[in-house]
Amino acid sequence: MPADTGSNGEVDEATWQRFLKYDCSGAASSPGSGPAFEKHDIACDTDEGRRYLLGGIALDASDVDEASAVRPDGSAQWAIDLDMTHGGAEALEKLTKETSEYNDDDPRKRFAIMADQKLLVAPLSQAVVTDGKARISGNLTEASATEIADAINAAAD
């Protein structure tokens, strides 16, 4: 799902004001609606202290063939490798084309990966992914990378 805090001109005023007033302190990292994600739900990253105004669903769990926690050669950091299905590869390419064009400080450059109403991670889109293989890296430990990969795989089953 694209994570889009957007700007006042991209959403209606009531939605924008709801987003600006939303307090993530003490909140679970999940959107406010029921079992299906809705456009303009708010998700919180309680670890990073960020909130996201969600766009529509760009990919779902059936688009992921496998997620795995990896430690790239020569790196002290852990990452998550995503292998997409054929349809997932096409959807990921479209999503990364849309998101990677923005500057790093623009929230539209991030997309949210969610499972079971929980925000797992919201990486920056660094490049257009054309081969259906993506790597999510950053401040991940072995435990956090494994937890996220397991949650993605469980949602895909």
Side-chain angles (χ1 to χ4, degrees):
M1 302 174 78
D4 186 358
T5 54
S7 71
N8 199 359
E10 294 174 340
V11 297
D12 64 73
E13 186 65 24
T15 300
W16 184 245
Q17 290 302 317
R18 181 175 59 91
F19 173 76
L20 291 176
K21 293 175 185 174
Y22 195 85
D23 183 9
C24 285
S25 63
S29 56
S30 62
S33 71
F37 299 116
E38 299 292 333
K39 188 170 185 171
H40 297 156
D41 272 345
I42 299 170
C44 294
D45 181 340
T46 53
D47 294 334
E48 297 285 328
R50 290 189 176 130
R51 64 182 179 241
Y52 299 95
L53 185 60
L54 301 176
I57 296 173
L59 299 131
D60 66 28
S62 67
D63 291 317
V64 179
D65 190 37
E66 183 179 17
S68 45
V70 297
R71 188 165 158 189
D73 291 338
S75 175
Q77 297 288 322
W78 282 80
I80 302 158
D81 278 354
L82 297 175
D83 290 321
M84 310 305 287
T85 64
H86 177 72
E90 291 174 350
L92 184 62
E93 181 174 358
K94 181 179 182 215
L95 174 64
T96 56
K97 274 183 186 173
E98 292 170 2
T99 55
S100 63
E101 69 185 40
Y102 297 104
N103 294 326
D104 284 356
D105 60 348
D106 190 317
R108 294 172 293 182
K109 191 170 180 77
R110 291 187 180 273
F111 57 94
I113 298 176
M114 302 183 74
D116 297 327
Q117 295 289 79
K118 182 177 186 241
L119 176 65
L120 300 175
V121 65
L124 283 174
S125 182
Q126 297 294 335
V128 177
V129 177
T130 59
D131 64 358
K133 296 181 184 309
R135 175 166 287 162
I136 300 167
S137 59
N139 294 325
L140 297 170
T141 63
E142 179 180 8
S144 64
T146 300
E147 179 182 354
I148 294 167
D150 288 349
I152 293 170
N153 288 325
D157 289 338

